Amino acid sequence: MKILDSKGRLFGTISILDLGAACVILLVIIGIFFFPGTSGTSIAGSGTGMKPIEIDAIVRGLGIRDPKVLLSEFDKANKANLIIRKQPHGQIDIKAVKQLTRTVTVPQPDGTVKALPDPKADAYAADLLLTLAGKAQVTKNGAVLGGEKIKIGVPIELEGFNYSFNATIIDVRIKE
């Protein structure tokens, strides 16, 4: 009895290529289940060294019909989905939201300048200051939230039931 026939089949029935593919699949399965390595969690999500942080973010010119509706939704939900650099982080607590008034600089007769409310403020645009709270790992390079570094100037996206908008981080405070 021949082990290989003229067509390259083992014992006349199994192709050597099929046998090689089956061995590769078997090795991959063994590698996944018996030698998994890390559990797939990032260092930031491992729970070690996590400290509470507060993040201030500013939203400029949010197109909205009635900002009071959005502010009441923030009060009701107290949480929003956070996306950092196009990577979903999960939910973060909304600690405070403040609607900012738009101002213009007006020169005064004595030569000084004052910031006064803008009389031509757009009725459908709002500026908001958000204070967000969560837990992040603090490294020598700063806070890491959801595997992403949190620093001043980093754009984030907040998403809820009926809103999705971008904001920019303007302050990061690490609580002890």
Side-chain angles (χ1 to χ4, degrees), residues 101-108 111-119:
T101 57
R102 291 184 175 223
T103 59
V104 292
T105 54
V106 179
Q108 300 299 305
T112 62
V113 178
K114 282 188 178 178
L116 298 174
D118 187 1

Side-chain angles (χ1 to χ4, degrees), residues 55-68:
I55 302 165
D56 284 339
I58 193 162
V59 181
R60 294 271 186 193
L62 177 63
I64 186 167
R65 177 186 284 265
D66 188 5
K68 292 176 186 170

Side-chain angles (χ1 to χ4, degrees), residues 56-60 100 127-130 156 166-170:
D56 284 339
I58 193 162
V59 181
R60 294 271 186 193
L100 304 173
D127 295 341
L128 302 174
L129 178 63
L130 302 155
I156 60 172
N166 295 325
T168 303
I169 295 175
I170 59 171

Side-chain angles (χ1 to χ4, degrees), residues 62-63 70 81 83 157-167:
L62 177 63
L70 182 62
N81 293 323
I83 301 165
E157 183 178 343
L158 289 172
E159 186 178 85
F161 178 72
N162 65 354
Y163 63 87
S164 178
F165 57 83
N166 295 325

